[in-house]
Amino acid sequence: MSSMRWPARPDGDGMGENGQHMVEQLSVIRLMNVLLSRRRVIVTTAVVALSATLIVAVVAPRSYSSTVSFLPQDRSPSLADLTGVVPPAGLVLPGFSDQSSAFYADLLQSEELLRRAVLADYDVVDDVTGGGARLGGARTLVEIFEIASDDPEAGVERAVQRLRKAISTRTNRETGVIRYTVTTRSPELSRQIADLLMRLINEFDLERRRAQASAERRFLAARLDSVRADARSAENRLAGFLERNRNFRNSPQLVFDHDRLQRDVAFHHQLLTSLAEAFERARIMEVRNTPVLTVMDHARARRLPDPRHLPMKGALAALAGIVIGIGTALWMEFVARSKVVEPEAYDEFVNLQRETLSGVRGLLPRRRKGE
């Protein structure tokens, strides 16, 4: 298609600077004329982009997802909740604090958790590779993903990166529900990975709570010894007072001293009882092996593959093709105009382009004869 004819630039200064600026600028009408004259380029680019995207989407292997949703249970009671005793200022007591939903989302992407998932054994019997090979027996994800590497550690790291991309997480801040989805080419493999991740999260949570309970138990044990000593000291002071003052009811001062010593003994007894109860509960939490996460949706091997979203992909591809086509059309029109208006600059551009291509070819390795 021939280039559009551009109106000649008027000579003379009769139009002034504003008139010359209007002539030099490409108006909206001229821009539309350029696009309409190069409509074949735009349409062809959009069709090619749309066709290529749809072909790749249809030919690509189908993927299968398995989703698990769970809700962390209410936090385990801490020392303050168990005893009702307010700790002294500046003293931080170990306890079982809540973990936010973002914590579990980060945990699912952590290196340690994913490495354990990669090195675990999976019994996969359906198609998981692009070649359609049927895998049987226990295999790690390094073998299932067919990651070839001379360095075993590098192979594990690549498998971790691939698994991290296969996991997507969503959290609901209002309800606290955490959902994660594992997507692979095998429905059974997706289910097994999702199940294993849930077990690993439960194990991590149990170990963390046991560690906190162990720290609280040690703290309470030391505190119990101290409170017992204080309680015995308070009892001894009250016993000594009673031995020295067998008839103290007639003296207001002695009655006041007796009541103060008795309140001191009662306070230490109450504190001792509360600490002893908290100590026993911490010992129970230390050996607790029940799950601390409530699973709402268990992992399943889906029979139906994930949707391809062809309409959305096609629309985006067509839009991208149109944008690229418009850019190509404007560039072609610019080159055609430059060839007519500024032939010397155009010839220089062509020569520089040839020199650049020759330099690039010189950098590429040459093939030997006979190869």
Side-chain angles (χ1 to χ4, degrees):
M1 182 179 293
S2 62
S3 173
M4 288 183 57
R5 294 183 178 180
W6 295 82
R9 180 177 177 179
D11 297 330
D13 298 333
M15 296 184 65
E17 295 182 357
N18 294 334
Q20 292 179 2
H21 181 72
M22 291 176 62
V23 172
E24 292 175 356
Q25 289 294 328
L26 182 64
S27 66
V28 176
I29 297 299
R30 291 175 182 172
L31 176 61
M32 295 302 299
N33 291 338
V34 170
L35 298 181
L36 291 175
S37 64
R38 303 282 183 178
R39 58 186 177 275
R40 292 184 180 178
V41 176
I42 300 175
V43 173
T44 302
T45 307
V47 171
V48 170
L50 175 61
S51 302
T53 301
L54 294 180
I55 291 174
V56 171
V58 172
V59 175
R62 302 301 298 268
S63 61
Y64 297 83
S65 298
S66 182
T67 302
V68 176
S69 61
F70 63 93
L71 178 67
Q73 294 181 3
D74 294 337
R75 68 184 180 94
S76 301
S78 64
L79 179 60
D81 297 330
L82 294 172
T83 63
V85 178
V86 179
L91 178 61
V92 179
L93 301 179
F96 307 98
S97 59
D98 283 323
Q99 295 292 357
S100 64
S101 300
F103 167 80
Y104 291 99
D106 292 339
L107 180 61
L108 283 165
Q109 298 291 326
S110 63
E111 184 78 14
E112 183 63 27
L113 191 75
L114 294 182
R115 284 180 66 90
R116 293 176 63 181
V118 164
L119 297 176
D121 292 331
Y122 300 90
D123 188 12
V124 181
V125 295
D126 52 359
D127 296 345
V128 293
T129 62
R134 296 181 70 85
L135 302 179
R139 294 170 180 261
T140 64
L141 289 183
V142 178
E143 298 171 321
I144 295 176
F145 290 160
E146 296 183 347
I147 298 177
S149 178
D150 297 333
D151 185 2
E153 183 63 24
V156 172
E157 292 179 359
R158 292 176 184 175
V160 168
Q161 294 176 358
R162 184 167 174 179
L163 179 58
R164 181 178 286 115
K165 295 179 181 179
I167 301 174
S168 60
T169 59
R170 292 177 298 170
T171 58
N172 191 322
R173 295 183 179 180
E174 295 181 358
T175 62
V177 176
I178 300 100
R179 291 183 177 86
Y180 66 89
T181 302
V182 180
T183 303
T184 66
R185 298 178 184 177
S186 163
E188 181 62 24
L189 179 61
S190 298
R191 184 195 66 79
Q192 292 184 21
I193 294 176
D195 268 342
L196 178 63
L197 290 175
M198 191 69 252
R199 291 197 300 269
L200 292 177
I201 294 174
N202 256 323
E203 291 176 3
F204 173 84
D205 228 345
L206 283 174
E207 292 175 359
R208 175 181 60 86
R209 291 172 182 263
R210 287 174 181 173
Q212 291 178 342
S214 178
E216 183 168 318
R217 178 188 57 79
R218 291 192 297 269
F219 169 82
L220 291 172
R223 184 63 180 146
L224 273 173
D225 293 338
S226 176
V227 172
R228 285 193 185 100
D230 293 341
R232 285 193 294 267
S233 177
E235 291 171 352
N236 293 334
R237 289 195 299 270
L238 180 59
F241 175 85
L242 293 176
E243 290 179 357
R244 295 189 304 270
N245 305 279
R246 296 182 180 275
N247 189 13
F248 62 89
R249 297 297 180 182
N250 296 327
S251 173
Q253 182 62 39
L254 293 178
V255 170
F256 176 80
D257 293 340
H258 172 267
D259 294 342
R260 178 173 55 83
L261 293 174
Q262 197 170 28
R263 286 194 303 269
D264 194 19
V265 171
F267 170 77
H268 282 89
H269 283 176
Q270 181 183 3
L271 181 60
L272 185 62
T273 301
S274 300
L275 288 174
E277 180 184 358
F279 177 77
E280 291 301 325
R281 295 192 182 183
R283 290 179 60 183
I284 295 174
M285 292 299 301
E286 189 176 9
V287 297
R288 178 181 179 181
N289 57 2
T290 56
V292 293
L293 302 175
T294 303
V295 180
M296 303 174 62
D297 293 324
H298 293 272
R300 296 180 181 179
R302 301 293 181 183
R303 297 292 184 90
L304 299 178
D306 296 338
R308 290 193 176 101
H309 301 292
L310 294 181
M312 182 183 65
K313 292 180 181 179
L316 293 177
L319 180 61
I322 292 174
V323 173
I324 296 174
I326 291 175
T328 303
L330 293 177
W331 171 254
M332 293 173 64
E333 192 67 29
F334 172 76
V335 171
R337 184 189 181 197
S338 300
K339 185 177 181 180
V340 176
V341 178
E342 298 178 339
E344 297 179 357
Y346 177 77
D347 293 338
E348 182 181 1
F349 167 75
V350 172
N351 294 330
L352 292 175
Q353 185 180 16
R354 291 174 180 174
E355 294 177 1
T356 302
L357 294 177
S358 299
V360 172
R361 293 193 189 99
L363 297 176
L364 298 176
R366 298 181 179 179
R367 298 181 59 183
R368 299 179 180 178
K369 295 182 178 180
E371 293 184 352

